[in-house]
Amino acid sequence: MMDTEALSILVNQIERGTNAARAIQEVMASGEYSPTVWVDGLGYVLDSLNADTKALRRFTDLSRKGAG
């Protein structure tokens, strides 16, 4: 059975991570600061998106098992 609330939360987290990555990229591209200033922030965003991707994989795997 699909938990739509959990899925909605996960989608929101992925959207926030994507928005943060986009914002970091825009600031890095502006050239106002050295790109090294943003390395920690970018690393955090990538770690978060990686965790969200793993959670989504678990969610879809559980959904498939429940449907079968």
Side-chain angles (χ1 to χ4, degrees):
M1 184 160 137
M2 184 182 296
D3 182 347
T4 56
E5 183 177 349
L7 182 57
S8 179
I9 290 168
L10 186 54
V11 167
N12 184 269
Q13 288 173 200
I14 292 169
E15 287 174 341
R16 286 186 313 196
T18 302
N19 289 340
R22 185 174 292 116
I24 291 170
Q25 187 275 330
E26 287 176 9
V27 172
M28 290 174 77
S30 76
E32 189 173 338
Y33 298 99
S34 167
T36 58
V37 170
W38 304 103
V39 170
D40 288 342
L42 190 56
Y44 175 79
V45 169
L46 291 173
D47 287 346
S48 295
L49 286 171
N50 185 48
D52 293 339
T53 301
K54 288 179 181 179
L56 183 59
R57 173 64 60 202
R58 285 191 302 273
F59 186 86
T60 56
D61 287 348
L62 286 174
S63 293
R64 272 194 291 260
K65 288 178 183 175

